Amino acid sequence: MAASSGEWLSRAAMVLVLGLVVAPSAKAGDVDMVFLKSAVSNGAVCLDGSPPVYHFSPGSGSGANNWLVHMEGGGWCRNAQECSVRKGNFRGSSKFMRPLSFSGILGGNQRNNPDFYNWNRIKIRYCDGSSFTGDVETVETSTNLHYRGARVWNAIIEELLAKGMNKAQNALLSGCSAGGLAAILHCDIFRDLLPATAKVKCFSDAGYFFDGKDITGNNFVRTFYKDVANLHGSAKNLPSSCTSKMSPDLCFFPQNVVPTLRTPLFILNAAYDAWQIKNVLAPSAADKKKTWAKCKLDITACSSSQLTTLQNFRTDFLAALPKPEQSPANLSIFIDSCYAHCQSGSQDTWLAQDSPVVEKTQIGKAVGNWFHDREVSRRIDCPYPCNPTCKNRDDD
């Protein structure tokens, strides 16, 4: 359901020196990591028991009291075997994390990110495999797995509140992929933790995973989320506004949560979301003959019948978006017709001369206009392949 462990390790390469794990040196422009070691005593840890991590770039000038909290993505793990694999890379252990640079919505350049560049900008690293919803007290001796995502989120947010976020004037909770889902699931809680006088909103990038059927007509992703919820003990940390009405595993689907939110939300998603096509529409369990293998990697390699299936997928995805009459206040939507996954973290898709546009508007401009109450919009692109500005990619 996520990138391979080999890919993770290549992206977070570590070196062994005399038996010790040594992180690569930070490069110019990298934002240092903050290891929250004080959280370990409260059980707020990654899957392997290591301390949680966030990256912090302090605000300045007019942005000194404004906070942007962005949650990293990276799929989920639904059983001990999958979670154990993550312990060996930065998706499950802070031992494998390293400094990184900020770009896109987290960028610090005024021209490239005019609405958020001088805010306090934080990236919360993702090492729990549950979109920060897990909280199981017991740790199995055989696996030494800790399902504590909710504790990690709470510990880091408490740390940020103590650093000054408790006096925030403006705040935006955002995330990509599994982090984009987390931004929806934790949205109202985040709002309630901040001053009543603050403007607080939430932004989900590639986090609108919908309850769709796969190519065999089954609901593979529904079964997957049920396993995640059961393994991580997620039920008590999912929005009660949803769990009071339906099974907790169904509350991993934003279509069942968003209509219950009280806090303004911006939904950014590709209509042909690369991750969802690979894992919701054509997961390996449904594509045993691998007839979708090439199409899943490159939309231009899809056959005419597969393109028809993709257009139907888009129709079903759009139908799962919140209706205007059931949306939270000031909901904005930006759905482009790209084959992509996560578009806010890279400058070339966020706000650059050749960034993707819908209705002559770039993503970064649309999000900034929405947050600062310059515009509330519902931009939905025409079907593929109508948008020549698309940058097809699969990042999280």
Side-chain angles (χ1 to χ4, degrees), residues 43-57:
V45 293
C46 297
L47 284 167
D48 71 334
S50 57
V53 166
Y54 66 93
H55 302 254
F56 178 65
S57 181

Side-chain angles (χ1 to χ4, degrees), residues 21-339:
V21 178
V22 182
S25 301
K27 304 187 295 293
D30 280 350
V31 180
D32 287 338
M33 299 180 290
V34 178
F35 288 82
L36 195 55
K37 296 180 180 179
S38 60
V40 175
S41 60
N42 293 325
V45 293
C46 297
L47 284 167
D48 71 334
S50 57
V53 166
Y54 66 93
H55 302 254
F56 178 65
S57 181
S60 62
S62 61
N65 291 319
N66 299 335
W67 295 74
L68 172 57
V69 180
H70 183 84
M71 292 173 286
E72 185 179 35
W76 307 268
C77 56
R78 57 178 165 168
N79 53 48
Q81 182 180 4
E82 290 180 358
C83 293
S84 292
V85 170
R86 295 168 80 100
K87 287 200 306 179
N89 57 66
F90 72 92
R91 296 298 190 206
S93 172
S94 60
K95 297 175 184 177
F96 295 93
M97 295 179 185
R98 64 178 179 180
L100 47 74
S101 59
F102 280 0
S103 184
I105 192 172
L106 288 170
N109 180 281
Q110 184 175 8
R111 180 174 62 85
N112 295 331
N113 190 27
D115 289 296
F116 307 108
Y117 76 97
N118 63 348
W119 287 29
N120 295 282
R121 289 162 288 121
I122 298 94
K123 184 167 187 174
I124 299 179
R125 299 303 297 269
Y126 181 48
C127 62
D128 67 90
S130 73
S131 284
F132 300 97
T133 64
D135 191 356
V136 177
E137 182 65 33
T138 304
V139 179
E140 291 184 17
T141 305
S142 59
T143 62
N144 192 38
L145 286 167
H146 300 69
Y147 303 115
R148 305 283 181 75
R151 295 194 198 185
V152 167
W153 191 83
N154 289 331
I156 292 178
I157 294 299
E158 287 178 7
E159 167 94 347
L160 298 177
L161 289 169
K163 281 181 172 290
M165 195 168 71
N166 63 336
K167 298 181 177 64
Q169 294 175 347
N170 297 284
L172 179 62
L173 181 67
S174 73
C176 149
S177 191
L181 174 59
I184 292 173
L185 299 179
H186 292 282
C187 183
D188 282 344
I189 294 175
F190 184 73
R191 159 65 277 183
D192 292 342
L193 290 171
L194 295 175
T197 55
K199 178 189 293 184
V200 181
K201 299 185 180 184
C202 303
F203 168 59
S204 173
D205 175 9
Y208 203 91
F209 302 95
F210 86 110
D211 189 10
K213 293 185 182 299
D214 62 38
I215 53 176
T216 66
N218 294 316
N219 295 91
F220 173 81
V221 71
R222 186 183 294 183
T223 301
F224 181 88
Y225 278 142
K226 185 174 184 178
D227 291 342
V228 172
N230 290 338
L231 178 69
H232 292 266
S234 300
K236 58 181 174 292
N237 296 307
L238 294 167
S240 59
S241 58
C242 179
T243 56
S244 62
K245 301 175 182 177
M246 60 187 71
S247 174
D249 50 289
L250 295 179
C251 295
F252 268 94
F253 294 109
Q255 67 200 76
N256 298 326
V257 176
V258 171
T260 73
L261 292 182
R262 297 176 278 108
T263 308
L265 175 70
F266 191 110
I267 298 169
L268 165 65
N269 233 94
Y272 308 88
D273 184 277
W275 190 95
Q276 295 199 58
I277 288 172
K278 293 175 183 176
N279 299 286
V280 176
L281 177 64
S284 297
D287 185 32
K288 297 185 184 300
K289 295 183 178 180
K290 299 183 179 180
T291 57
W292 278 74
K294 292 182 179 180
C295 178
K296 289 195 293 186
L297 294 177
D298 180 3
I299 195 169
T300 63
C302 298
S303 67
S304 58
S305 63
Q306 287 172 331
L307 284 174
T308 297
T309 300
L310 289 179
Q311 300 298 12
N312 292 334
F313 175 86
R314 170 183 178 271
T315 299
D316 292 342
F317 173 79
L318 296 181
L321 291 171
K323 308 299 186 292
E325 66 272 13
Q326 66 178 172
S327 305
N330 298 318
L331 175 95
S332 273
I333 293 175
F334 191 108
I335 309 296
D336 57 33
S337 287
C338 307
Y339 184 75

